[in-house]
Amino acid sequence: MNTITMRPPVAASKGDRSFWLQSIAADAVTPPLQGGAACDVAIVGGGYAGLWTALRIKEQAPEMRVTVLEADFCGSGASGRNGGQVHSWFAEIDMLNALVGENDALMLCRATADAIEELNGLQASGAVDMDLRLDGWLWTASSTAQEGAWAAASQLCSALGEDRFRPLGRGDILRRTGSGVSYLGSLEERAGTVQPAKLAIGLRDLALSKGIVIHERSPVLDIVPGPRPQLRTAGGRLSAGKVVLAANAWLSTIPELHPYLYVVSSQIIATAPAADILERIGWTDGASICDAQHHVLYYQRTPEGTVIFGRGTGGIAYNDRIDGRFNRGGDGGADNIRELHRVYPQLKDVPVLYDWCGPIDCTAQHLPVFGHLKDHPNIFYAMGFNGTGIAQAPVAGRIVASLVLGCDDAWSRCGLVGLDRRTRLPPEPLRYLGARVVRHAIRRKNDLEILNKKPGPVTRFLAGLAP
């Protein structure tokens, strides 16, 4: 019986943590695993996916003993360092339809819309303080090449009787964002922003209140499969009936999953508070905003007036060996600052106080996948969130909980379960070398198109090879 060796995440130092985490002094509050312990379900990973899975299992089977093992502290990974954008899967309904079919696509999209309402209910009840503001999500174009990026999703929504998006013109965008750079777009009204670290910490507290055991600072070193898998950490060993792997990009270390998963970085900056400037230009609400570059820009303003400005970098590592460069880029966020000043020249004198990075687990279809390891029916996985998880992780939790509990329902049968329909990526070194070439082509294409210049045929061809 082969041991599954895990690659422990490289924890960010306190100074390299995200603005979100530093602003609330987030850290571990539960003890590491020490000695021997046992549970019914062990979950590897204390981010959104792991915590929501734990909560969903407890909802359906309160008697189950659920233990979460987190390498650093809950929310220290992608869940506490993302852009804080909340929108449904309706933006990806065309991709979902192509992969899972119309019925499942509609079910999953509606489930994410319901998840947004669930988040709103958690905040309204006082259960989780997350600074949720449902002021909408703006999907915009700032160059002719980006125009109509939303058309396929919007048209399919309309065809299926879902009135989810409304068009935006230049005046609408200027009034909502205070920037005249984007001039065309689409609005999902029941969407918006959160403080993602507050959400992660709030889910941790909620899980603890439900009797879920959490051990932080407990990276799993290896798992010995069997009727009761054994999970080994530096300080202890956990015996479990079933295991859920919800460790984001670090699942790329598992040979069975690696062919379907690739890891890229995204970088985010946060400015000093500039509420006076933002009020003056009319950027006052909590909408989330994206443009439609291939390496997408995504941004929001916090209630205090800090501007959060992120951009996919496409940064990669050979054989997905994630290291400290995926915590902080080392260039002070130079590319993001350049783009921030393009979109908001009014902020050129506002200091950037934080810059950080994070690895994103991606699949070729840009949609997550769930299932169990081929030879180990009691070891499950959830991976490939592609940087979109705040409204999606509650749905992922339902899917994984159904798989773990052996339910035969719409969640366990949905088309996101299983690798059969997924695209295998090239092996190393072709994967790494090809990704570098494609990344450079995408960056050239982005930089030209933002100036309304047309890239050459070689650049267009190479950029088109991206999954």
Side-chain angles (χ1 to χ4, degrees):
M1 199 168 299
N2 293 330
T3 297
I4 299 169
T5 301
M6 303 296 290
R7 182 183 297 149
V10 180
S13 66
K14 286 190 175 182
D16 288 347
R17 292 176 185 171
S18 71
F19 158 77
W20 306 118
L21 293 166
Q22 292 192 53
S23 68
I24 62 170
D27 218 325
V29 297
T30 62
L33 178 66
Q34 296 290 336
C39 63
D40 297 311
V41 182
I43 298 175
V44 181
Y48 296 150
L51 292 170
W52 275 113
T53 297
L55 288 164
R56 298 305 192 202
I57 291 171
K58 273 291 189 181
E59 286 172 5
Q60 296 181 58
E63 76 283 359
M64 297 287 278
R65 297 171 300 159
V66 181
T67 297
V68 176
L69 298 178
E70 163 55 38
D72 191 9
F73 61 91
C74 291
S76 60
S79 299
R81 61 174 90 176
N82 61 73
Q85 302 215 339
V86 184
H87 56 83
S88 75
W89 252 333
F90 279 105
E92 287 81 35
I93 193 170
D94 52 322
M95 294 190 295
L96 277 164
N97 183 56
L99 179 66
V100 306
E102 185 177 290
N103 291 337
D104 274 2
L106 201 51
M107 177 191 78
L108 291 163
C109 289
R110 287 172 174 168
T112 55
D114 291 342
I116 292 172
E117 299 308 321
E118 184 175 8
L119 292 172
N120 194 38
L122 286 172
Q123 177 162 277
S125 70
V128 179
D129 170 24
M130 65 185 89
D131 293 349
L132 177 66
R133 296 170 294 164
L134 293 178
D135 293 325
W137 173 56
L138 285 70
W139 189 1
T140 71
S142 54
S143 71
T144 55
Q146 298 174 27
E147 293 177 8
W150 48 85
S154 183
Q155 289 166 10
L156 184 55
C157 281
S158 297
L160 296 175
E162 291 285 344
D163 185 21
R164 294 287 172 172
F165 299 99
R166 70 174 179 85
L168 295 172
R170 186 188 297 272
D172 301 313
I173 298 170
L174 179 60
R175 281 191 294 274
R176 292 296 303 276
T177 70
S179 171
V181 169
S182 291
Y183 58 89
L184 198 64
S186 185
L187 171 69
E188 182 179 21
E189 293 185 344
R190 201 64 178 164
T193 54
V194 297
Q195 209 285 29
K198 282 189 175 183
L199 173 56
I201 297 304
L203 290 174
R204 178 183 67 186
D205 295 344
L206 184 62
L208 291 169
S209 76
K210 303 291 185 183
I212 294 163
V213 176
I214 299 175
H215 292 291
E216 296 170 297
R217 303 274 161 78
S218 300
V220 175
L221 304 177
D222 54 51
I223 303 171
V224 179
R228 284 193 62 82
Q230 306 292 307
L231 296 84
R232 185 174 64 91
T233 70
R237 185 177 294 268
L238 178 65
S239 171
K242 296 178 181 179
V243 175
V244 175
L245 304 175
N248 191 270
W250 285 272
L251 295 190
S252 63
T253 191
I254 298 175
E256 182 178 333
L257 303 180
H258 183 253
Y260 302 94
L261 190 67
Y262 66 99
V263 178
V264 298
S265 69
S266 192
Q267 186 175 58
I268 309 182
I269 58 174
T271 69
D276 53 340
I277 298 175
L278 304 184
E279 301 257 344
R280 189 164 64 245
I281 66 176
W283 191 11
T284 59
D285 68 18
S288 54
I289 309 155
C290 290
D291 80 356
Q293 292 184 50
H294 192 112
H295 287 165
V296 65
L297 294 181
Y298 50 94
Y299 46 105
Q300 64 149 295
R301 60 153 292 173
T302 70
E304 299 75 27
T306 292
V307 174
I308 309 297
F309 204 88
R311 189 185 192 197
T313 69
I316 54 170
Y318 182 77
N319 206 29
D320 293 334
R321 291 174 181 157
I322 304 163
D323 58 22
R325 291 171 296 177
F326 280 80
N327 290 328
R328 196 169 185 185
D331 64 354
D335 280 350
N336 289 38
I337 293 171
R338 181 193 68 182
E339 287 294 278
L340 171 68
H341 294 166
R342 179 181 67 83
V343 178
Y344 289 104
Q346 306 94 327
L347 299 177
K348 67 180 183 302
D349 294 325
V350 176
V352 169
L353 301 184
Y354 301 85
D355 68 275
W356 69 96
C357 294
I360 299 175
D361 53 333
C362 297
T363 63
Q365 282 78 21
H366 295 277
L367 293 165
V369 60
F370 312 95
H372 65 76
L373 298 182
K374 181 176 61 175
D375 296 326
H376 308 300
N378 56 356
I379 300 180
F380 302 86
Y381 59 83
M383 68 178 195
F385 287 88
N386 297 269
T388 304
I390 292 176
Q392 290 69 24
V395 181
R398 294 194 186 280
I399 295 170
V400 181
S402 283
L403 293 172
V404 168
L405 297 174
C407 302
D408 182 15
D409 58 16
W411 303 113
S412 63
R413 294 193 303 269
C414 86
L416 294 181
V417 174
L419 293 167
D420 293 346
R421 287 179 261 190
R422 298 311 181 101
T423 301
R424 290 177 65 96
L425 298 161
E428 298 290 12
L430 292 178
R431 177 192 293 217
Y432 176 72
L433 296 174
R436 284 182 62 87
V437 171
V438 170
R439 175 181 184 249
H440 287 305
I442 289 171
R443 290 175 71 86
R444 285 198 303 273
K445 182 172 178 286
N446 277 351
D447 288 345
L448 288 167
E449 287 179 345
I450 207 72
L451 299 173
N452 286 323
K453 296 180 180 180
K454 188 175 181 180
V458 174
T459 296
R460 293 200 306 273
F461 170 77
L462 291 173
L465 296 177

